[in-house]
Amino acid sequence: MVAAGILLPAAAQAHLVSTGLGPFYDGLSHFVLTPEDLLPALALALLVGLNGARAGRTTLFALPAAWLAGGLIGLAWPTTASVPALTIVSFLVLGIMVAADLRLRLVWSVALAVLLGGVNGYLNGSAMAGAKLGLAGLAGIVSALFVVVALAAALAVAQRAPWARIAVRVAGSWVAAAGLLLLGWSLRAA
C-alpha cells in the first residue's frame, strides 16, 4: 500500500514541460522535447542546407520570424484545437523533400519557412497562452528554433562528399518514416 502511494505521480502534464527555471526555459525545453515542432524544423533546415548557404541563411531568419509572428497571433487569439493531420503532412512532405534532395528556388524555401513557422508558431503561441507562459515562453521556443536551424543547415551545407549528402538525405527519410508511423497510428485509432 505504501509502495503504491509512493509510485503514484502527484500530477501529470501532457504537453508542456515545466523546468522550474521560468517561462523562457520552459519554452526552450518545449521546442527541444516536442517532436511535432522539432522534426519538421530540422527537416526544413536540412533541406535548405542541401540547397546551399544562401537558402540556409535566408531560412535561418525567415523561419524564426514566421514562428514568432504566428506565436504572437496564438498568444492573442489562442485555440485549443489539435491538428494531427498538419503534423503528419509536415513530417511526410519535408522528409520526402530532404530524402529526394529536392532543389528549391529561394522563394520556395522562404515560402516553406513562412508556412511552417506561421502554423507551428500559432499552435505554440496558443499552448503558451494556455500554460500562462506568454511572451517569455514563446521567446524560448524561437531561440531554440534559431539554434537548431543554424546548426542543422550549416551541417547540411558543409557536406560536399556524395556519401555525406546521402547521410543527410537518410535523416530526411527518417522524418518521412516518422510521418508514416503517425499516419498509420492515426488511421488505426479512427
Side-chain angles (χ1 to χ4, degrees), residues 22-189:
F24 178 83
Y25 291 103
D26 287 348
L28 191 138
S29 64
H30 169 78
F31 177 78
V32 175
L33 297 173
T34 307
E36 57 262 34
D37 290 339
L38 179 63
L39 289 179
L42 189 62
L44 180 61
L46 293 174
L47 176 65
V48 299
L50 288 173
N51 279 275
R54 183 170 179 229
R57 281 190 301 268
T58 305
T59 301
L60 175 60
F61 293 100
L63 182 60
W67 207 292
L68 179 61
L72 291 172
I73 294 169
L75 282 172
W77 297 285
T79 183
T80 57
S82 174
V83 192
L86 287 176
T87 301
I88 293 169
V89 168
S90 68
F91 279 35
L92 286 172
V93 170
L94 291 170
I96 289 169
M97 291 171 84
V98 174
D101 196 5
L102 189 65
R103 295 286 176 206
L104 295 176
R105 301 182 87 198
L106 185 61
V107 67
W108 288 110
S109 297
V110 172
L112 278 172
V114 169
L115 180 63
L116 179 68
V119 170
N120 282 21
Y122 175 74
L123 295 173
N124 283 167
S126 294
M128 295 295 119
K132 307 285 189 262
L133 296 177
L135 193 54
L138 186 59
I141 290 173
V142 173
S143 298
L145 172 68
F146 184 86
V147 170
V148 166
V149 171
L151 294 173
L155 175 82
V157 166
Q159 306 313 314
R160 300 284 183 232
W163 67 266
R165 289 182 64 86
I166 289 171
V168 172
R169 294 172 63 191
V170 167
S173 74
W174 291 344
V175 174
L180 285 174
L181 287 171
L182 286 173
L183 176 62
W185 194 5
S186 69
L187 293 176
R188 182 186 151 278

